Each structure stands twice: as C-alpha cells, then as structure tokens.
Amino acid sequence: MKYLATIPVPVNRQSATVMPAELQDASGDAWETFVESCRDTGLEVPGNPEFRNYLQRIWACSEFAAQACILEPGLLFELLASGDLLTAYAAGELDARLELLLSDSIDEAELSRVLRNFRRREMLRIACRDLAGWAPLGEVLGDLTGLADACISRTLARLGDNALQQAGGRARKLTPSLVVLGMGKLGAGELKFSSDIDLIFAYPPGGPGWPGGLPGPEAFYLQLGHQLIRALGDRTEHG
C-alpha cells in the first residue's frame, strides 16, 4: 500500500489528536471496528500513523464516514488507490463519471443501486476531503451541488430513454424533455451535507410531433416525474 505515503502532512501535527476525550474514545472504537472489518475482508490495515490520525479525526466528526468505512472498507481503499481522495475534481467530472456508469440500458432497480453506490462513494470522498482540511469550502459546496445535479440529470435522462423504449422501441429523445428546476441552495450552488433538494418540474405541451404510441404529455411527464422522485428519494437496501 505504497500510496498511503502520498497523503499530505498536516500543517498542525497535533490537530488530529487534540479532541475532547469523548470524541477520542468514539473514534478509537471506530478504528478498532474498522481494523476488524479490514481483516474480515482480507484487506491490509493502513499502517501510516498520520493517515490513522486523519481517519480518526474525520470519524469523530462524521458518523456517516465512519460507518461507510467500517461497512465497506474496500471503498476507502479504492478511493486511495484511484487517487480520487486526494484530488480535486474538475468541473463536470461528477456528471461525466455518472454518465459512464449509466451508459448501458438498465432497469429501475439497477438504476437505484448504481445511484446509491455512486452517492455513497462520492459523499465519503467529499466528507473526508472536507474534514481532513484537504478541500476549501468552495470545492466542498461545489462538489455537493455537482453530485446532486449529476444524479438528477442523469437519472432523468435514463428514465426518459427507458420510457420511450417501453412505449415502442423509439431510440430518439423527446425534445424538450421534462424540465427540472433546482431551488434554494441547489439552485445557488451551495448545497451542504444536510441540505434537502427542492425541485420544480415543468413540461412542454404536446403538439403535432408528439409520438402516437405515448400517453398524452401530462400523463407521460407526470409518470416520469414520479419515477424520478422514487429513484432519488426511496430508501432501499443500498441506502
């Protein structure tokens, strides 16, 4: 695990250990559980002491990050091995990554699984970079907003394609499609970890070019909107 040596050294070497006793105890317990989880899955426990300090500081501040690493330690290792944990994404990169994952035609169940796995990976990455001090606030808010934007737009595109194919095998898209407007912090590009997303849906009226094999525009777009809400909001075994 040579890549562990590339993790930046803190400006303040004591910052990872100066925590209230209760947080130190909780992060210490999380570390022991993480070690057991690594051994159970055949992964080598990170031996870099600075990295351990970083992890314990992150876990002291985020139960989500601790549980994500404990339940799926391979996710943290993959983020390190890929270099993504220590890299600032370029603009649009989250969207491009999700588009690639959803490039194959998949049903709603598979779409739900892919979305939640993608969200869990990227949320862990963003949280770690934020709490370890590796990312400025602007990057964190931008990535959280970009993640939400990518999930909404790519899910809508996939569901729209599926609906057209089910209606008669048409490969072409409806133009314009359902329009989704992000309100509040999403619209301002300032999503936080605890933010909800508020959406407004709009759709174009039907016309002479409306496909004959589809229900009317209102019924079609209403169903598409409900599918989008389920895909993004339902709680499943994957989160």
Side-chain angles (χ1 to χ4, degrees):
M1 300 175 62
K2 297 180 181 178
Y3 53 83
L4 290 179
T6 67
I7 294 174
V9 176
V11 174
N12 177 5
R13 289 179 177 274
Q14 300 300 318
S15 62
T17 56
V18 178
M19 294 188 294
E22 293 82 359
L23 292 181
Q24 291 187 40
D25 291 342
S27 62
D29 291 342
W31 174 261
E32 295 302 323
T33 307
F34 174 69
V35 169
E36 293 177 6
S37 184
C38 287
R39 290 171 177 165
D40 290 342
T41 53
L43 295 170
E44 182 181 352
V45 178
N48 186 317
E50 291 177 354
F51 182 56
R52 172 176 173 174
N53 284 340
Y54 271 122
L55 278 183
Q56 290 190 253
R57 187 176 77 178
I58 292 166
W59 293 346
C61 298
S62 172
E63 183 178 357
F64 161 77
Q67 289 302 309
C69 293
I70 290 169
L71 294 176
E72 192 178 352
L75 187 58
L76 177 63
F77 285 74
E78 189 274 327
L79 282 169
L80 282 165
S82 66
D84 289 345
L85 189 63
L86 306 178
T87 302
Y89 283 172
E93 188 164 351
L94 283 161
D95 184 74
R97 286 171 178 251
L98 185 55
E99 181 182 20
L100 183 61
L101 290 174
L102 297 178
S103 58
D104 295 331
S105 180
I106 56 178
D107 59 22
E108 284 192 57
E110 180 66 6
L111 172 63
S112 174
R113 184 192 67 78
V114 171
L115 279 174
R116 280 150 183 77
N117 288 345
F118 179 75
R119 174 188 177 275
R120 183 168 59 253
R121 180 192 192 274
E122 298 305 330
M123 285 288 282
L124 177 60
R125 172 190 166 273
I126 297 168
C128 287
R129 287 183 55 76
D130 179 27
L131 296 173
W134 298 332
L137 179 61
E139 178 190 323
V140 174
L141 298 181
D143 276 357
L144 290 171
T145 303
L147 177 59
D149 279 338
C151 288
I152 293 167
S153 62
R154 292 304 161 190
T155 300
L156 178 60
R158 172 51 56 197
L159 290 173
D161 288 347
N162 288 351
L164 287 176
Q165 291 170 8
Q166 292 170 4
R170 296 175 180 82
R172 71 179 184 86
K173 299 178 182 295
L174 287 175
T175 305
S177 182
L178 183 68
V179 176
V180 181
L181 302 176
M183 309 299 290
K185 290 184 173 65
L186 174 59
E190 298 175 348
L191 275 188
K192 301 176 183 177
F193 286 101
S194 59
S195 298
D196 292 328
I197 57 173
D198 300 313
L199 305 177
I200 292 179
F201 295 166
Y203 64 89
W210 185 258
L214 294 181
E218 181 176 357
F220 177 81
Y221 286 119
L222 183 63
Q223 180 181 8
L224 188 58
H226 283 309
Q227 289 177 326
L228 178 63
I229 292 170
R230 287 198 304 270
L232 296 176
D234 283 358
R235 182 172 295 278
T236 74
E237 62 180 309
H238 302 290

